Amino acid sequence: MPSAPAWPEAKIEHLRAMVKAGKSAGEMATELHTTRNAVLGKLDRLGILLGGAKRHHAEPRRHKLRPPPRNSVTPSQRPLVFQPTPPRRFSWEAAVDTAPEPA
């Protein structure tokens, strides 16, 4: 898989200057002749944030433990006996069995 073209140092410095000037990612992309996603990806890899945003590395959300539904079957209530199913009959087998016998 071919790698993406490298960003020249001059282009990165121009990108940093535009961030300091307060330009949006779309404006930077237009000026650098690239896509907005490419600009955002490069800024992320450089650790630069736009608009004074702060990285927020919060603890993962802890979900509330909910009681089980009233009608649910718990694993201890499930039958442990294996119930074999009868062999399946295919439509072509049924057709052979019901064919009239020759006289």
Side-chain angles (χ1 to χ4, degrees):
M1 179 183 207
S3 62
W7 283 63
E9 194 61 37
K11 199 172 185 180
I12 293 173
E13 290 304 317
H14 188 62
L15 182 68
R16 291 177 197 258
M18 287 190 285
V19 169
K20 286 182 183 175
K23 292 195 176 187
S24 70
E27 292 170 335
M28 288 184 241
T30 303
E31 197 168 321
L32 293 171
H33 304 288
T34 187
T35 64
R36 178 179 171 272
N37 281 338
V39 168
L40 291 172
K42 189 62 178 179
L43 291 173
D44 183 56
R45 288 187 299 278
L46 293 172
I48 300 172
L49 301 172
L50 289 179
K54 295 180 182 176
R55 286 188 188 249
H56 182 59
H57 295 288
E59 292 183 23
R61 294 177 82 188
R62 294 190 178 143
H63 297 285
K64 295 179 184 177
L65 293 176
R66 296 181 184 163
R70 292 182 194 171
N71 298 335
S72 69
V73 176
T74 61
S76 62
Q77 295 172 333
R78 291 186 188 130
L80 298 177
V81 180
F82 175 70
Q83 299 292 329
T85 57
R88 292 184 69 183
R89 297 199 63 164
F90 298 100
S91 60
W92 59 270
E93 290 176 329
V96 171
D97 291 343
T98 59
E101 297 203 14

